[in-house]
Every structure is written in C-alpha cells, then in structure tokens.
Amino acid sequence: MKKQKRPEIICRCNNVSRQTIEKAIVDGCDTLNKIFDATTAGVGPCGGSCRRKLGPLLEHYLQNNEFPEKITEDLTGKFPPDKK
Ligand code: FES
C-alpha cells in the first residue's frame, strides 16, 4: 500500500500546497512571478514570507529538473530575484 503523505503547505496565507506549486512549475512557471499568478502563493497578507521556500524550490528544479526532498529556505534575501 502506498503511504499517503500529508500535503506540505508552503504558503500558509493562501493555503497553497507544495504539490500545487510543483505542478505549476512543471507546467511552465519558471519565475516567481509566474508562480504567484498561477497559484496565489507568495502574495498573501504576510507579505510573502513563503518566498524563501518558493525561490529555492524553483531554482532547484530549474537546475536539476527535479524537486528537492527537503526545501532549504533562503534567508539571504536573494529572493525574489525578479523585481517589479
Ligand atoms: S505564507 Fe505565502 S504569502 Fe504569506
């Protein structure tokens, strides 16, 4: 029997799961802004604290073509790299 993993919520403001975000990335979101538009993650009232996870998740996928097992949060403030 397959173990059912509980969905990992990345964006607590808008209740967006990692699964939703990964699907959006696979479907072609290759910038944070596209992820914001496609999933509403990262644009909640907290001001986007989950971007620390979204950035590394996206970067890891773009570099390795797969998602990391564990997301290493980016605390350097490097993300989001694409400014308005
Ligand atoms: S947790 Fe994602 S915008 Fe607040």
Side-chain angles (χ1 to χ4, degrees):
M1 232 208 280
K2 240 180 141 187
K3 244 207 260 168
Q4 196 76 34
K5 267 214 274 173
R6 256 208 275 160
E8 185 182 348
I9 299 299
I10 302 286
C11 181
R12 299 203 176 274
C13 289
N14 292 336
N15 203 31
V16 186
S17 70
R18 173 165 170 163
Q19 208 182 12
T20 301
I21 291 161
E22 290 186 352
K23 184 174 182 305
I25 294 174
V26 170
D27 285 350
C29 294
D30 55 3
T31 67
L32 286 180
N33 279 330
K34 288 184 195 169
I35 296 175
F36 301 161
D37 288 345
T39 70
T40 74
V43 291
C46 80
S49 65
C50 60
R51 292 178 192 189
R52 300 180 269 180
K53 290 187 182 175
L54 292 176
L57 185 64
L58 175 62
E59 191 176 66
H60 192 284
Y61 183 79
L62 294 179
Q63 283 172 1
N64 306 293
N65 229 18
E66 64 181 20
F67 293 107
E69 183 138 348
K70 222 175 137 72
I71 301 173
T72 312
E73 288 188 41
D74 180 85
L75 302 173
T76 63
K78 200 174 85 192
F79 288 98
D82 39 8
K83 294 195 201 94
K84 284 238 167 85

